[in-house]
Amino acid sequence: MNSDTIKKGFERAPHRSLLYADGVKREDIDKPFIGVCNSFVEVIPGHVHLNKVAEFIKKEIRKAGGVPFEFNTIGVCDGIAMAHTGMKYSLPSRELIADCVESMVAAHKFDALICIPNCDKIVPGMVLGAIRANVPTIFASGGPMMAGKHPKTGRALDLNSVFEAVAAQKNGIIDEEELQTIEENACPGCGSCSGMFTANSMNCLCEAIGLALPGNGTIPAIAPERKKLWKTAAKRVVEMAKAEGPRPRELITESSIDNAFILDMAMGGSSNTVLHTLAIAHEAGIPYDLERINRISKRCPNVCKVAPSCAYHIEDVNAAGGVPAILKRIGEIPRLLNKKCPTVSGKTIGSIIARAKILNETVIRPIKQAYSNDGGLAILTGNLCEQGAVVKKAGVYPSMMVFSGKAICFDSQEEACKGILDGKVKPGNVVVIRYEGPKGGPGMQEMLAPTAYIIGAGLGESVALITDGRFSGATHGACIGHVSPEAAEGGPIGLLKDGDIIDIDINSRKLSVRLTAAELEERRKNQPEWSPRQFTGWLRRYSQLVGNASSGATLK
């Protein structure tokens, strides 16, 4: 066993002595040591219950014949960090979490690892760390939040409802009392936010990529079935430790990453999944480019939509059969899904979906009734984004799939939010938010606030937005992010001026500005040198090391 390094032989007597101080018994020395990586923090709704989850999982590990050792990672709540400088720390926290996982496993020689994440950067951060450690690892998330309910109308509510209500109240569409009603009822309890936002997208993708058991992404946090999943995962991780596999690098392959993107396309997941899955591929040493994602998108229909793209929430997807049911539907298309890929369950993806049942064909549509014949995400290219840009196609209004408008430029998210709420953005505009990429932000802020303000102001079908930053999974509308190269590294988005005509053609995968190469070069010659935002500490180091979104914002 890997843990023999710290516990076997006469020269390891000091190590065993310290282990005994932890509560380990002499009879435990021959058992597998299981790292329990817990992201419990009290400020994130998706994580407030994970201390109890970890206690339950540790108890089940002991029953299964393992010795659990819990350790914790940090976590940033994107909703609470949104629309202020705190959001600059969200994406960088992915790297800190990865470093924590790597450090703990490498230093203490665990035989296997069970990860208990739930929200945005925590899931991919743990995946990156698990790849580096490469001991048998299983992911068992805390589960999604139930949707809220409006007490008067019964309408389903979620976090996005509150952001949009802010703009609606600002524009006189609703009053202050209604805003308060929505904010008090949108998030009813623990769990990752209830729509197809980044947290739930990544927890679902963990199933498709083979790192998690069926139900990981969709069983609600408070459902009894979630406890059964945690129990099964605890038992299984001990089995994996004894068998010394499968390991993350055996599960994460080009084919399993394809499966992850196939699921993403089928259910219209968050655009952030592109950023994180590219980083996962990079960490696993798998060459994977944006054009491959587009090829998958063109073959994979969008058969399932979840809030904010429609009224359904994750609990509805779970009731319809969850991720296995979506993959079963997509598996009807010949030679698309890679059914032979192994998973932590010990079964292949193909054998899992063979037993799956599609319980609601309104939530998970038949292929012939798909929302679209191609996927819910699209990669755009053009003279504004030579290295690519990403749009959540499933969340774009049909009338906005092809759009041309006049640029109105903002050099930060804060400027854009103020401009939108102050009425500076008019129908026919393309809002440009720049210097918010991984390097320029620094930290590539999520921008749920400006996109929600556009929708809340009633401009969702007349205004588009492009940025070198990124969006929350809760974002919908004609919102194009990850524009690369970013402004801070000399990208064309930094050369735009108010009034420039920007052309968006999502169906043709194009994003461009009506300027010639010569005109862009002339502007570049006259462009003042970019002055980095002044940050100290971790953000300063991050800005010096990070690459742009086209490579997953990985560190150099």
Side-chain angles (χ1 to χ4, degrees):
M1 288 188 287
N2 194 43
S3 60
D4 287 350
T5 305
I6 63 166
K7 67 187 185 184
K8 291 297 180 74
F10 76 93
E11 72 277 20
R12 294 297 184 245
H15 303 64
R16 291 191 294 272
S17 184
L18 291 169
L19 289 168
Y20 296 150
D22 291 334
V24 174
K25 307 299 182 185
R26 180 172 288 278
E27 58 266 28
D28 292 332
I29 294 298
D30 290 328
K31 298 175 183 177
F33 283 8
I34 312 296
V36 179
C37 180
N38 188 8
S39 55
F40 165 70
V41 293
E42 291 186 335
V43 74
I44 308 178
H47 296 236
V48 292
H49 61 307
L50 297 188
N51 55 340
K52 297 176 182 177
V53 174
E55 288 302 318
F56 178 80
I57 285 176
K58 287 189 291 183
K59 181 180 177 181
E60 294 300 323
I61 288 172
R62 292 187 188 99
K63 284 183 183 179
V67 183
F69 294 89
E70 182 182 358
F71 64 93
N72 287 77
T73 70
I74 64 165
V76 172
C77 180
D78 283 15
I80 295 174
M82 192 77 65
H84 59 84
T85 55
M87 179 49 71
K88 295 179 185 292
Y89 288 87
S90 175
L91 182 60
S93 74
R94 184 186 76 181
E95 310 308 321
L96 295 178
I97 291 164
D99 291 347
C100 285
V101 175
E102 176 191 6
S103 299
M104 288 298 294
V105 178
H108 303 104
K109 299 301 178 185
F110 298 133
D111 298 301
L113 185 66
I114 185 165
C115 292
I116 312 173
N118 221 22
C119 293
D120 292 21
K121 264 48 70 198
I122 293 92
V123 182
M126 286 187 181
V127 174
L128 295 175
I131 293 169
R132 297 177 196 169
N134 203 35
V135 298
T137 302
I138 192 166
F139 276 67
S141 80
M145 184 188 296
M146 299 292 286
K149 302 292 180 186
H150 195 290
K152 295 178 181 177
T153 67
R155 176 170 66 96
L157 299 172
D158 53 46
L159 179 64
N160 197 47
S161 307
V162 189
F163 275 97
E164 292 181 4
V166 170
Q169 196 267 336
K170 172 75 174 178
N171 287 277
I173 299 171
I174 63 173
D175 59 22
E176 189 174 340
E177 182 181 354
E178 175 65 3
L179 174 60
Q180 184 175 339
T181 297
I182 292 171
E183 76 174 72
E184 290 177 352
N185 290 278
C187 301
C190 67
S192 49
C193 293
S194 57
M196 185 41 66
F197 311 153
T198 306
N200 292 329
S201 296
M202 290 305 303
N203 282 324
C204 288
L205 262 61
C206 280
E207 290 187 48
I209 210 168
L211 289 171
L213 298 174
N216 179 73
T218 60
I219 299 173
I222 61 173
E225 292 79 11
R226 177 59 63 173
K227 203 167 186 178
K228 292 178 183 178
L229 183 142
W230 292 326
K231 182 175 182 178
T232 304
K235 181 180 179 181
R236 178 60 183 153
V237 77
V238 176
E239 294 172 350
M240 290 165 61
K242 291 177 178 178
E244 298 186 359
R247 298 170 184 264
R249 288 182 180 271
E250 297 167 352
L251 298 172
I252 299 172
T253 63
E254 183 177 77
S255 293
S256 69
I257 292 172
D258 283 347
N259 283 347
F261 277 120
I262 288 165
L263 174 66
D264 213 6
M265 298 302 169
M267 66 190 307
S270 165
S271 58
N272 281 323
T273 56
V274 174
L275 194 72
H276 298 317
T277 309
L278 287 175
I280 290 167
H282 179 269
E283 192 65 60
I286 300 166
Y288 207 98
D289 60 28
L290 292 171
E291 187 49 42
R292 188 178 183 92
I293 301 172
N294 255 349
R295 289 197 297 271
I296 290 172
S297 179
K298 289 173 182 176
R299 292 192 60 210
C300 183
N302 180 200
V303 297
C304 178
K305 282 193 178 184
V306 188
S309 300
C310 75
Y312 299 124
H313 287 78
I314 290 292
E315 64 205 67
D316 302 307
V317 177
N318 188 65
V323 167
I326 297 171
L327 292 176
K328 186 181 187 73
R329 177 68 80 210
I330 293 301
E332 296 171 9
I333 300 171
R335 298 180 300 280
L336 179 58
L337 195 67
N338 300 286
K339 298 180 182 179
K340 294 182 180 180
C341 287
T343 73
V344 289
S345 69
K347 303 178 179 69
T348 64
I349 283 287
S351 62
I352 289 171
I353 68 174
R355 287 187 287 273
K357 293 182 180 180
I358 301 169
L359 302 174
N360 188 327
E361 292 202 331
T362 303
V363 176
I364 303 172
R365 291 187 173 190
I367 298 294
K368 291 184 179 179
Q369 297 172 26
Y371 289 99
S372 64
N373 292 326
D374 55 359
L377 294 173
I379 307 299
L380 311 185
T381 55
N383 69 348
L384 264 180
C385 53
E386 295 168 352
Q387 296 175 6
V390 180
V391 63
K392 186 174 179 177
K393 181 175 172 287
V396 179
Y397 298 103
S399 60
M400 296 293 288
M401 296 297 286
V402 178
F403 181 80
S404 296
K406 291 183 177 181
I408 178 168
C409 301
F410 301 98
D411 287 346
S412 70
Q413 178 185 206
E414 291 77 12
E415 285 182 21
C417 286
K418 187 175 187 306
I420 296 164
L421 291 176
D422 287 349
K424 292 181 180 179
V425 175
K426 306 295 183 185
N429 278 156
V430 176
V431 175
V432 177
I433 307 178
R434 57 199 179 188
Y435 298 103
E436 290 291 6
K439 184 181 183 68
M444 204 179 187
Q445 297 191 77
E446 258 186 8
M447 299 189 189
L448 178 54
T451 58
Y453 294 165
I454 288 170
I455 299 293
L459 298 171
E461 294 192 68
S462 59
V463 168
L465 188 154
I466 70 169
T467 179
D468 53 8
R470 62 193 178 93
F471 298 117
S472 164
T475 292
H476 61 128
C479 302
I480 299 167
H482 304 199
V483 171
S484 300
E486 61 176 291
E489 57 181 350
I493 190 171
L495 304 177
L496 295 177
K497 296 179 180 179
D498 288 353
D500 286 340
I501 303 298
I502 295 173
D503 295 315
I504 299 168
D505 189 339
I506 294 171
N507 293 321
S508 297
R509 310 300 202 259
K510 294 294 182 184
L511 171 65
S512 58
V513 60
R514 292 184 195 175
L515 294 171
T516 65
E519 288 171 321
L520 285 170
E521 186 56 35
E522 187 62 29
R523 287 191 184 184
R524 191 182 303 281
K525 290 178 182 177
N526 297 314
Q527 182 87 339
E529 185 176 350
W530 173 66
S531 178
R533 292 179 175 132
Q534 296 302 306
F535 280 89
T536 58
W538 164 229
L539 283 185
R540 181 172 177 273
R541 300 199 310 274
Y542 181 82
S543 68
Q544 293 171 342
L545 295 171
V546 71
N548 70 35
S550 68
S551 63
T554 52
L555 300 186
K556 298 172 185 175

